[in-house]
Amino acid sequence: MTGRLSIVGLGPGAPGLMAPDAQAALAQATDILGYQPYVARIPARPGLRLHPSDNREELDRARHAIALAQGGARVVVVSSGDPGVFAMAAAVFEALESVPTAEPPRIEVIPGITAMLAAAARCGAPLGHDFCAINLSDNLKPAGVIAHRIRHAALGGFAMGFYNPRSPARPDGFARALAVLRETCEPERIVIFARAVSTPEEAITVTTLAEAREDMADMRTVVLIGNPQTRRVGGWTYTPRSWAGA
Ligand code: SAH
């Protein structure tokens, strides 16, 4: 018997921001795997086995999930936000590639609302024009690549979303990101710190590059950088859909 492996995005936090298909996969699951705080968001019920693990164990977790599904289980691997954004979906396919199996399980990827889009919606429409997402963690790529991408995104006029901006293990990466932005962007550039969006601890700060400080970000914050035309209207922040001069 071949089971099923669903790779599910839980959204940014609020239950109402989770897709009905994600809720259905969770309701049918026999086994749930994921980083411990995300698995903790799933209520226990009889017949459901929870397998929380550390956040550095993504490939092992993915291999475990594949093996359980091959054994006939209905497995759900959970990520916060969207599972394809700096999360478990790519890890599962990497595991599949590195351990070719006779019969791969049925796999489905169920999308979720990623942090930068949830944060943007809270503020108005700061990502109304072209934008990109950059993971500031240097666990899986060199710091030089991060600086290069930020510089070129800024030169290209993109708005940006920074994930994993700052953690106790990586106290300096976000300061370096701000330094790169200060070389390429004007001091008035809008910077948004969106922490724990859609949870009871939500806190949003809209400021400028001149006023932004590294201690305004932590592991639960996504940082949005506007494009040169991002502006405020009333209490809202938005980026016009047309590029000035177009
Ligand atoms: N797959 C997730 C991202 C995982 S990386 C997604 O699509 O959102 C973890 C980073 O996501 C955090 O360091 C933070 O930058 C961001 N993040 C996740 N949930 C968040 C939330 N509710 N509010 C603000 N940022 C969040």
Side-chain angles (χ1 to χ4, degrees), residues 51 95-96 109 112 121 138 152 190:
H51 308 266
L96 206 58
V109 184
D138 59 5
H152 285 81
I190 286 189

Side-chain angles (χ1 to χ4, degrees), residues 12 80-82 85-87 114-115 163-165 194 196-197 219-222:
S80 74
D82 183 272
V85 179
F86 312 131
T114 192
Y163 287 74
N164 293 304
V197 175
M219 283 162 76
R220 299 189 70 191
T221 307
V222 65

Side-chain angles (χ1 to χ4, degrees), residues 9-14 35 38 41 58 79-88 112-119 134-135 162-167 170 193-199 202-204 218-223:
L10 299 178
Y35 178 38
Y38 306 152
R41 281 162 62 176
E58 288 187 351
S79 288
S80 74
D82 183 272
V85 179
F86 312 131
M88 280 308 294
I113 297 174
T114 192
M116 71 186 290
L117 299 187
I134 301 178
N135 185 351
F162 291 161
Y163 287 74
N164 293 304
R166 193 159 166 267
S167 75
R170 295 178 290 103
F193 293 89
R195 183 174 194 277
V197 175
S198 87
T199 77
E202 176 176 302
I204 312 267
D218 68 5
M219 283 162 76
R220 299 189 70 191
T221 307
V222 65
V223 183

Side-chain angles (χ1 to χ4, degrees), residues 200-215:
E201 295 85 44
E202 176 176 302
I204 312 267
T205 304
V206 182
T207 184
T208 61
L209 185 54
E211 303 288 327
R213 292 191 325 270
E214 56 179 290
D215 63 359

Side-chain angles (χ1 to χ4, degrees), residues 2-44:
T2 306
R4 187 170 72 188
L5 172 48
S6 304
I7 311 163
V8 166
L10 299 178
L17 295 183
M18 192 192 302
D21 281 5
Q23 289 167 359
L26 291 171
Q28 292 162 9
T30 57
D31 295 84
I32 295 184
L33 293 83
Y35 178 38
Q36 187 273 329
Y38 306 152
V39 173
R41 281 162 62 176
I42 314 299

